[in-house]
Amino acid sequence: MATDPGTIDFLLDQLGRRRGAYSTKRMFGEYCLYREANPVAFVCDDVLFLKDTPAGRAVIEAATPLQFGPPYPGAKLYLRLAPDLWDDGEWLARVLDATADALPAPKPRKAPRRPPTSPAGDVPPEKATSRKTSKPRTTPRAPKPAR
């Protein structure tokens, strides 16, 4: 069962869309929740699965018992927050902020490799034609052996 887009709207409203710090991206029918381009949680089957950090655990434990579960089959365990815990937007933002602050910064992406170009920005002459051109032979070819 995929996550309902209305669930994502509710979650982002609870986190305060006006701050703009949180965003989601649809992935395989489910969603990934980001804080300033850093993935913090998944929303799968209308349940929030936070990355497990000591800071996030501390905020959750102060309000409710910890629950763990995998967001999808074969995944590691994440902190599980059912939608009934999302009603207090300030508390939810504290949990997500504490988790995001404890995570390492995302690694910068490598720039894609591009073929070298001439200073004018043109394609190098050897790449300009699609046909192979051969150089004239300077030595005669050896005869093929008879079969």
Side-chain angles (χ1 to χ4, degrees), residues 44-57:
C44 301
D45 296 330
D46 295 327
V47 177
L48 184 65
F49 293 92
L50 285 131
K51 291 189 175 187
D52 188 12
T53 63
R57 277 186 184 203

Side-chain angles (χ1 to χ4, degrees), residues 4-140:
D4 180 28
T7 302
I8 298 302
D9 289 339
F10 177 74
L11 176 65
L12 291 174
D13 283 341
Q14 289 298 92
L15 294 172
R17 288 183 192 251
R18 294 174 300 283
R19 289 192 295 168
Y22 289 98
S23 63
T24 58
K25 184 176 179 184
R26 190 167 173 89
M27 300 176 136
F28 308 110
E30 303 298 350
Y31 293 85
C32 184
L33 179 68
Y34 296 88
R35 188 186 82 171
E36 299 168 356
N38 196 7
V40 177
F42 295 107
V43 182
C44 301
D45 296 330
D46 295 327
V47 177
L48 184 65
F49 293 92
L50 285 131
K51 291 189 175 187
D52 188 12
T53 63
R57 277 186 184 203
V59 176
I60 295 170
E61 280 182 318
T64 185
L66 294 176
Q67 293 181 4
F68 293 91
Y72 51 88
K76 66 181 184 175
L77 296 180
Y78 283 72
L79 291 167
R80 185 179 187 277
L81 291 179
D84 58 335
L85 295 173
W86 305 359
D87 291 334
D88 183 0
E90 292 298 319
W91 177 80
L92 185 61
R94 273 197 322 269
V95 170
L96 289 167
D97 286 341
T99 300
D101 290 341
L103 293 172
K107 294 179 183 177
R109 291 186 170 189
K110 292 182 181 179
R113 291 191 66 194
R114 293 197 171 106
T117 58
S118 68
D122 299 332
V123 177
E126 65 272 4
K127 301 285 183 182
T129 60
S130 59
R131 294 184 294 144
K132 285 187 175 181
T133 57
S134 60
K135 295 180 185 176
R137 289 192 172 269
T138 55
T139 58

